[in-house]
Amino acid sequence: AQSVSQHNHHVILSEAASLELGCNYSYGGTVNLFWYVQYPGQHLQLLLKYFSGDPLVKGIKGFEAEFIKSKFSFNLRKPSVQWSDTAEYFCAVNAAGGYQKVTFGTGTKLQVIP
Amino acid sequence: GAGVSQSPSNKVTEKGKDVELRCDPISGHTALYWYRQSLGQGLEFLIYFQGNSAPDKSGLPSDRFSAERTGGSVSTLTIQRTQQEDSAVYLCASSLGSGNVGGYTFGSGTRLTVV
């Protein structure tokens, strides 16, 4: 079974700072990778996803993530955060091919200070 | 509908009572999932439905939990004899198919409080 680790539980940044949220997964086979975001009072929504091809994936709102297979990592990055990026971010993984349930990490709460 | 709809949005129940949580997925989405989100616990998989196939119930924490999906659309998650540790936000998600090609679309959840 796969598992996901998000090492940062709470991150506080000032506006315009650069962001990198760590995500490591555990699974020996081919995977699909996701980042979801939950803004305050809103439901979870997909930020970006990786299935195959270019390991650098670009998502909405200027976010990107890089899949590094050798490190089993899929870190989320943004060069300059805004106050509106304050949210909780969840990394998720599932085994590629057919139905495989998605396993989520415990989430990272990002607080951006104006 | 335009999104995944869950009801009720909030439910407070007494310990020992049964509760039913409802999920109405996006029209045309064949896959439906239930997750539970507890404080500091991330999202815990509960159950998955895909079309007419037998559901994957491997995440249900006890036999007090059950779920149905009628007609390949609406799903009901039932918790019998609720306990305080059942308090959580119960999330439903749907997707186009089993491969999760497009990722999930989540509902806004049902916040269950057992007192």
Side-chain angles (χ1 to χ4, degrees):
Chain A
Q2 60 266 34
S3 64
V4 180
S5 295
Q6 292 183 247
H7 308 294
N8 311 106
H9 298 294
H10 196 182
V11 173
I12 302 174
L13 294 173
S14 298
E15 275 193 315
S18 64
L19 169 72
E20 181 161 3
L21 300 182
C23 172
N24 288 91
Y25 69 91
S26 172
Y27 184 71
T30 304
V31 294
N32 303 317
L33 294 154
F34 309 84
W35 276 97
Y36 283 83
V37 60
Q38 188 169 29
Y39 297 103
Q42 297 187 26
H43 57 268
L44 275 160
Q45 54 188 289
L46 184 66
L47 195 58
L48 50 78
K49 61 185 185 287
Y50 170 82
F51 289 101
S52 63
D54 189 345
L56 184 61
V57 179
K58 295 191 184 297
I60 60 173
K61 303 185 179 183
F63 285 91
E64 64 179 31
E66 185 175 13
F67 171 46
I68 303 179
K69 189 175 180 180
S70 61
K71 294 185 178 179
F72 296 88
S73 70
F74 190 56
N75 292 355
L76 181 69
R77 300 193 295 246
K78 185 171 183 179
S80 176
V81 294
Q82 301 173 321
W83 175 79
S84 58
D85 294 325
T86 296
E88 190 161 15
Y89 294 81
F90 293 89
C91 183
V93 64
N94 77 342
Y99 161 64
Q100 297 289 343
K101 62 177 179 278
V102 175
T103 301
F104 287 82
T106 53
T108 298
K109 289 186 178 177
L110 171 65
Q111 184 179 355
V112 180
I113 301 170
Chain B
V4 177
S5 177
Q6 291 188 248
S7 61
S9 54
N10 279 287
K11 176 72 176 179
V12 180
T13 189
E14 292 181 353
K15 178 181 173 181
K17 299 283 189 183
D18 298 351
V19 294
E20 283 190 353
L21 313 179
R22 176 188 168 102
C23 172
D24 198 345
I26 291 175
S27 178
H29 279 194
T30 58
L32 185 148
Y33 314 80
W34 283 97
Y35 281 81
R36 178 167 70 175
Q37 185 177 20
S38 304
L39 195 62
Q41 297 289 322
L43 276 76
E44 176 188 3
F45 168 79
L46 297 177
I47 190 169
Y48 159 77
F49 295 91
Q50 169 59 42
N52 295 320
S53 302
D56 176 357
K57 304 179 182 179
S58 61
L60 295 178
S62 77
D63 58 8
R64 297 186 295 104
F65 288 73
S66 63
E68 291 184 339
R69 188 178 185 192
T70 54
S73 181
V74 173
S75 176
T76 303
L77 177 69
T78 301
I79 309 173
Q80 296 178 311
R81 306 181 302 282
T82 51
Q83 303 294 313
Q84 287 185 329
E85 61 263 27
D86 300 334
S87 296
V89 176
Y90 288 81
L91 294 169
C92 177
S94 68
S95 67
L96 276 170
S98 61
N100 295 309
V101 174
Y104 293 171
T105 300
F106 280 89
S108 53
T110 294
R111 183 176 297 276
L112 175 66
T113 305
V114 182
V115 298

